[in-house]
Amino acid sequence: MEPLNESLFDAQALEYPAALASALAPAALPGHFDELRGQATPAAPARPAVGLPPMPPMAPLLYDTAAERPAAVTGTQAQSQAQSQTQTAAPAVQQPQPSSEKPPLTPSWNAFFDQLGQGGFGDLPRRAVSLERQIRDNGVTYNVYADANGPQRPWSLDLFPLIVSPESWSQIETGVLQRVRVLDRVMADVYGPQQLLAEGLLPAALVRGHPGYLRALHGVKPPGDTWLHIAAFDLARGPDGNWWVVSQRTQAPSGLGYLLENRLAIARQFPQAFEALHVQRLAATYSAMMEGLQHMCPAGVPPHIALLTPGPYNETYFEHAYLARYLGVTLVEGSDLTVRDQRLYLKTLQGLRPVHGLIKRLDDQFLDPLELRPDSTLGVPGLLQAIRAGNVLVANMPGSAFLESPALLGFLPGLARRLIGEKLKLPALPTWWCGERAALEAVLPQLGDCAIKPTYPGSDGQTSFDAVLGSQLSRRKLDEWAGRIVREGEAHTIQSYLPLSQMPTWANDMGPGHIAPRAVLLRVFAVSDGAQSWRVLPGGLARLAGRDAQIASMQRGGSSADVWVQTHGEVDRTTLLQPHATPASLARHRAPVTSRAAENMFWLGRYTERAENAVRLARLTINLLGSEDQSSRPLLDWLHRMALRNALVPAGVPSAPQSRRVFERVLIAELGDVERGGSVGFSLRCIRQAAAAVRERLSQDNWNQIVRAEAEFLRRAAEQAGEGSFATGAALRALESASTALAAMTGAQTDRMTRDDAWRLLSIGRHIERLGFLASALEAGFEDGAVHEVSGFEAMVALFDSTITFHARYQQRRDVATLVDLLVLDTENPRSLAWVTQTLRGRIARLAGSAPGKLTALSYELPDPATWTLEHLCAAGADANYPALAELLASCETAAYHVSDAIGTRYFTLTSESLRSVGA
């Protein structure tokens, strides 16, 4: 591969970046279509792929014929695929040139490089770095294997877009619109009269025998008689320049959110080229899709539409949150929803709110544990009953999984002629379902030139496996596969292998960067804009194969690219921003706070406060263990008790008075243990997990702070393990860094979040945690006698983060009265028990929606600071203790956790009187 030659970046080269790109960009691999140059790279003579025509001597049509099946093949597949032999006129594609000189770039790519802007070709390395930083800063992720504790993988996006000409797009658009109409009518027939099965146009094994066929929905008619609202088609361009359908996705096709992020990122890198190439915009299609859903919803003006996600551990959760925010719909998980009286409701802090439409990003089998998978915790019990009753629109209608079977592709041409009376204009790769004897016998000899795919992919009840390419198998393996196919023909589908076209990409593996061709698979989307009406999104998601890979898959280390669809007409500059918002519409669009989001915000607050407390206590303990005050027995007893209560050290560790060094080493070693509750590392991880569950409510800066804080602390904790005698210093530096990060989080929570009920619950969670911790610390300090010594007194004030205030107010006084005055009674000190309790009572009252200044029954569960007096709390008992103070501290600690349980019962599980419906 030719690396970038920086010596070419002289003044003359910068004036002609297209010529420079043509000279430096390698051609596509032999036999592959070169998107950059608009023709295939000549290949050595070889037999053509099964079912695909050889490269013709004349300029081929953009959509060429699907080759005839072998004469021996009979039955519905043969009859169906024979239709795709018709030709469709389209612009010619350039032919390979036998000359050793590289062919010129296509006009579109020529214009792209000529419009690079200031810096030209030489600025591409900087833009690649800028793009990488932008993706990282925006938090765009794709988790190949979702792991609650694992790092999130940044979304992989190439610098160059895939450019699709207007003529090419016109043919794609026409063919995709035709295919989605056919698939929708197939669904209507299969769940209705089933005439296709009766007439033998569709084998029963691919419908009734498919695990994705839902018998529970037979006879149901969806709103608007529209079954498919979002359908994705994976297209490949062959060596002849024609586009072919490789697969189709209808259950919960991913990509609609990622392609938006791709567009924003790449258009920002090449603004001049984006305008010069007349790239069609995307917003109008999303707007039309939402309008179509709203019009078809069974009830509600305006209807309430939600997006159902499996949750933050799903590999595409970023897209779910991004798409929900972009479309202005509520992001929900299955636990957020409930079915009552055959109607779907969203559980919010104010009660149950009706849901009229549901955009699902969940596979069908997980939707309803009552009627589908009983072990599913992702769905909504009773959802299918609500669908059958016609009370909710679901996009897409459940039961479309059988449409995703590759075996269905071979039958679609015949189905199109039967259902819509048309011939398919966009052919699919020749596909043989081995459940038919004639197809099996015809394709077995050609197995080495094909792809072997499961008829029922991802199925638990049927044979399933990962697709394999026959060309990558040894003779022995091919024979083994042939034996399996003969034994279980229905479970296997054979598809002709097509060398994917290759587009230019920017690679950084050599020097400052260079252009390298990569195989590309194009995913396009058809979305419904009304009853029995669809439009194709003028763009898509281009998936790039990894280096030396023949399959374009994100799971296999692939990348993505933006898709620029050019237009000869006007660029549609529609925006989803509402230009004429009314007060009534603004009130309606206030997002509801779901019970799940509320609970995660509550725990986000608790874990943030818990982490701050743990960091402060650990720093204080380590510093005191190495100070001149280490001989104070009451102080060491108090530190040991607090470390045990807050799980900074495990039970059974020698106490600080018994073995100060052992205690210190264990404390330091446990700081980064993410498996044991109470450690700083565990709390930071819990902060990230709670934040991930409400990602859509957090700013990008706030999210980045949370992710960086955890990663940085765990990195430092791992490094300090090898520090030996210097571990103490390393631990203090790690804790100081964590303290700074937590202060930034607190600032974001306090100053950069809307004061809605979700924020109030976050604040309530923080103050509940603070009240319990501070009351416990002060109680232990008095019981162990630490506060009666100078070192213990100063340590207590430091733990309350009140050292500066104390010395400014009381100077050198160190007695119980001054301690109680500042740490218990001061209503202006945010670390005093009075301030925390008073704030909690007020926040709880606002949360319940009571009138200003009026407290609720839950608020009265907390002690009232107005009844506390210094004289009463400082009255000494018979044993020189302070019984009134001890009683107050115990009641504060007990009340904190009692209120926590009560909030969970009332607002998170929606039990007792909160089981009510609002807006029904």
Side-chain angles (χ1 to χ4, degrees):
M1 195 70 69
E2 185 178 3
L4 191 65
N5 188 341
E6 293 195 57
S7 66
L8 294 174
F9 294 142
D10 53 22
Q12 183 178 7
L14 290 174
E15 295 180 6
Y16 305 101
L20 183 59
S22 179
L24 293 182
L29 293 177
H32 293 256
F33 187 86
D34 191 335
E35 296 285 350
L36 186 64
R37 298 178 173 86
Q39 65 179 52
T41 303
R47 64 178 181 179
V50 178
L52 292 178
M55 183 69 71
M58 302 296 291
L61 301 174
L62 183 64
Y63 290 92
D64 210 338
T65 65
E68 283 191 47
R69 298 289 303 278
V73 181
T74 60
T76 53
Q77 287 189 82
Q79 297 167 13
S80 185
Q81 295 200 65
Q83 294 180 56
S84 60
Q85 296 174 19
T86 55
Q87 296 180 339
T88 303
V93 177
Q94 297 179 11
Q95 288 303 295
Q97 300 181 8
S99 169
S100 59
E101 297 182 3
K102 293 179 181 177
L105 307 185
T106 66
S108 296
W109 279 106
N110 204 72
F112 174 84
F113 285 109
D114 280 341
Q115 295 292 332
L116 288 180
Q118 188 175 6
F121 204 92
D123 194 40
L124 292 179
R126 183 198 63 78
R127 296 189 198 194
V129 173
S130 173
L131 176 63
E132 227 175 90
R133 183 185 306 115
Q134 182 180 342
I135 294 295
R136 184 177 62 251
D137 291 346
N138 287 353
V140 190
T141 57
Y142 178 88
N143 305 322
V144 178
Y145 298 105
D147 179 5
N149 298 322
Q152 294 180 315
R153 172 188 173 188
W155 177 247
S156 183
L157 174 62
D158 193 74
L159 185 62
F160 294 144
L162 173 66
I163 302 176
V164 182
S165 69
E167 295 78 16
S168 183
W169 182 253
S170 176
Q171 296 294 325
I172 292 175
E173 184 177 38
T174 302
V176 166
L177 285 175
Q178 190 185 46
R179 281 182 171 267
V180 73
R181 286 166 53 209
V182 174
L183 293 178
D184 188 82
R185 291 302 87 198
V186 169
M187 283 276 289
D189 179 82
V190 163
Y191 287 100
Q194 298 192 342
Q195 293 177 353
L196 298 177
L197 298 178
E199 296 172 13
L201 293 174
L202 198 54
L206 297 183
V207 180
R208 295 171 182 158
H210 196 290
Y213 174 70
L214 304 182
R215 290 168 176 79
L217 294 181
H218 186 264
V220 175
K221 188 175 182 179
D225 194 27
T226 301
W227 293 79
L228 300 178
H229 299 270
I230 304 171
F233 298 86
D234 293 325
L235 309 179
R237 199 203 286 260
D240 55 4
N242 295 333
W243 289 97
W244 301 77
V245 176
V246 179
S247 61
Q248 53 207 20
R249 293 289 178 265
T250 56
Q251 284 195 86
S254 61
L256 280 175
Y258 285 119
L259 69 86
L260 274 173
E261 179 65 31
N262 287 359
R263 171 59 55 86
L264 293 174
I266 300 303
R268 184 178 299 174
Q269 297 297 327
F270 303 106
Q272 290 181 224
F274 186 75
E275 289 294 333
L277 267 64
H278 296 281
V279 180
Q280 191 57 278
R281 306 301 199 267
L282 306 172
T285 302
Y286 287 93
S287 178
M289 179 184 75
M290 291 307 299
E291 289 177 6
L293 290 175
Q294 290 169 357
H295 291 154
M296 285 186 283
C297 278
V301 181
H304 180 204
I305 299 177
L307 190 150
L308 177 61
T309 173
Y313 301 146
N314 183 264
E315 68 270 16
T316 58
Y317 179 74
F318 166 84
E319 174 177 73
H320 305 167
Y322 186 94
L323 196 58
R325 184 179 297 177
Y326 181 75
L327 298 177
V329 300
T330 309
L331 183 67
V332 300
E333 295 180 25
S335 58
D336 292 325
L337 302 171
T338 185
V339 174
R340 306 288 167 85
D341 298 325
Q342 300 183 1
R343 295 183 182 275
L344 185 65
Y345 292 94
L346 174 67
K347 294 184 284 187
T348 74
L349 293 183
Q350 288 72 36
L352 301 178
R353 179 176 175 181
V355 176
H356 309 104
L358 199 62
I359 303 172
K360 71 177 181 69
R361 295 305 309 271
L362 192 64
D363 284 347
D364 295 344
Q365 60 181 328
F366 298 101
L367 283 175
D368 188 343
L370 290 183
E371 300 191 48
L372 301 174
R373 282 189 57 157
D375 61 339
S376 171
T377 60
L378 305 176
V380 186
L383 179 59
L384 292 193
Q385 185 58 36
I387 294 172
R388 284 193 293 265
N391 292 326
V392 62
L393 177 149
V394 179
N396 284 336
M397 188 71 170
S400 68
F402 74 95
L403 296 178
E404 298 182 348
S405 172
L408 195 72
L409 293 174
F411 298 90
L412 283 179
L415 296 174
R417 184 175 61 181
R418 169 64 175 79
L419 294 170
I420 64 174
E422 298 174 10
K423 296 179 180 179
L424 291 179
K425 299 176 181 179
L426 183 62
L429 288 180
T431 307
W432 292 263
W433 176 54
C434 295
E436 288 187 343
R437 173 60 60 180
L440 172 64
E441 293 175 350
V443 78
L444 274 182
Q446 307 298 331
L447 203 57
D449 297 322
C450 296
I452 307 172
K453 296 186 173 184
T455 301
Y456 313 103
S459 168
D460 293 331
Q462 299 278 2
T463 300
S464 187
F465 51 89
D466 291 332
V468 295
L469 296 177
S471 59
Q472 296 180 346
L473 300 176
S474 64
R475 183 72 259 173
R476 178 182 174 183
K477 288 292 184 182
L478 273 174
D479 291 340
E480 291 178 0
W481 273 103
R484 288 177 57 182
I485 294 171
V486 169
R487 292 190 299 271
E488 299 180 90
E490 287 188 358
H492 296 80
T493 298
I494 310 301
Q495 190 174 67
S496 178
Y497 171 71
L498 180 74
L500 300 178
S501 65
Q502 297 191 328
M503 65 169 282
T505 65
W506 187 256
N508 290 312
D509 55 343
M510 299 177 65
H514 63 97
I515 297 177
R518 296 266 293 276
V520 59
L521 192 68
L522 171 62
R523 172 167 289 189
V524 297
F525 295 86
V527 300
S528 172
D529 55 6
Q532 286 297 295
S533 176
W534 292 268
R535 63 171 65 188
V536 181
L537 184 75
L541 181 67
R543 290 179 291 171
L544 308 176
R547 292 185 62 188
D548 305 321
Q550 301 183 60
I551 298 178
S553 169
M554 302 302 293
Q555 288 93 341
R556 303 190 185 191
S559 181
S560 71
D562 190 18
V563 178
W564 288 10
V565 173
Q566 295 179 279
T567 178
H568 288 315
E570 289 292 324
V571 173
D572 192 332
R573 300 185 184 274
T574 298
T575 174
L576 289 187
L577 298 177
Q578 298 295 330
H580 304 295
T582 64
S585 67
L586 290 176
R588 286 196 304 265
H589 282 86
R590 289 179 180 174
V593 180
T594 68
S595 297
R596 176 193 54 83
E599 184 173 13
N600 280 287
M601 291 290 284
F602 176 78
W603 282 102
L604 175 61
R606 288 199 64 170
Y607 277 117
T608 305
E609 184 70 23
R610 188 174 298 179
E612 282 197 17
N613 294 336
V615 167
R616 191 178 295 109
L617 178 60
R619 291 177 71 185
L620 179 67
T621 302
I622 294 173
N623 280 322
L624 288 175
L625 290 177
S627 72
E628 61 185 14
D629 299 317
Q630 58 184 270
S631 60
S632 170
R633 179 64 185 250
L635 174 62
L636 294 180
D637 285 338
W638 177 68
L639 292 176
H640 179 245
R641 180 187 293 207
M642 288 300 297
L644 281 177
R645 279 189 180 183
N646 293 276
L648 290 183
V649 295
V653 172
S655 67
Q658 291 174 331
S659 179
R660 182 177 57 83
R661 288 304 175 196
V662 172
F663 179 79
E664 181 184 55
R665 284 198 297 269
V666 172
L667 173 65
I668 292 174
E670 295 290 329
L671 289 175
D673 187 353
V674 296
E675 301 298 329
R676 191 179 52 77
S679 73
V680 176
F682 180 87
S683 294
L684 289 173
R685 173 146 297 177
C686 289
I687 291 173
R688 176 178 62 79
Q689 291 173 348
V694 288
R695 175 78 180 275
E696 73 281 2
R697 302 189 65 92
L698 304 179
S699 71
Q700 191 57 52
D701 287 343
N702 195 353
W703 171 252
N704 289 342
Q705 287 171 348
I706 291 170
V707 173
R708 282 197 298 266
E710 181 201 11
E712 177 69 12
F713 184 79
L714 294 183
R715 181 188 65 80
R716 287 175 175 268
E719 290 176 354
Q720 79 188 19
E723 292 283 343
S725 58
F726 299 100
T728 300
L732 287 173
R733 289 190 296 272
L735 290 169
E736 182 180 358
S737 175
S739 179
T740 302
L742 286 165
M745 287 185 215
T746 299
Q749 293 173 3
T750 303
D751 196 46
R752 296 190 178 183
M753 296 184 73
T754 305
R755 263 45 172 190
D756 61 0
D757 282 338
W759 177 84
R760 291 188 187 96
L761 277 165
L762 180 147
S763 179
I764 288 170
R766 289 202 66 143
H767 290 99
I768 283 176
E769 193 72 27
R770 185 179 301 178
L771 181 62
F773 175 79
L774 295 181
S776 170
L778 202 53
E779 181 185 34
F782 274 94
E783 287 182 359
D784 293 327
V787 297
H788 300 303
E789 296 189 358
V790 172
S791 57
F793 192 100
E794 293 287 349
M796 183 66 70
V797 173
L799 187 62
F800 273 66
D801 200 16
S802 301
T803 301
I804 294 176
T805 303
F806 183 88
H807 288 293
R809 183 178 299 178
Y810 306 107
Q811 298 180 0
Q812 296 302 314
R813 286 187 59 188
R814 295 184 179 86
D815 53 42
V816 172
T818 57
L819 192 72
V820 172
D821 185 48
L822 181 64
L823 303 188
V824 178
L825 297 176
D826 193 338
T827 56
E828 295 181 352
N829 178 11
R831 294 281 166 182
S832 80
L833 300 185
W835 187 93
V836 175
T837 305
Q838 182 175 283
T839 302
L840 260 178
R841 287 162 66 96
R843 296 272 157 79
I844 292 172
R846 287 288 305 277
L847 182 67
S850 63
K854 293 186 178 181
L855 299 181
T856 62
L858 189 57
S859 299
Y860 284 112
E861 296 287 339
L862 293 161
D864 183 4
T867 64
W868 307 349
T869 64
L870 184 62
E871 294 77 11
H872 179 63
L873 296 178
C874 292
D879 299 327
N881 56 6
Y882 300 89
L885 178 61
E887 182 181 355
L888 173 64
L889 295 177
S891 67
C892 283
E893 188 175 2
T894 302
Y897 301 116
H898 174 75
V899 168
S900 177
D901 293 339
I903 286 175
T905 300
R906 180 168 183 178
Y907 294 107
F908 306 153
T909 62
L910 288 185
T911 56
S912 66
E913 81 282 358
S914 64
L915 283 179
R916 60 194 185 280
S917 173
V918 294

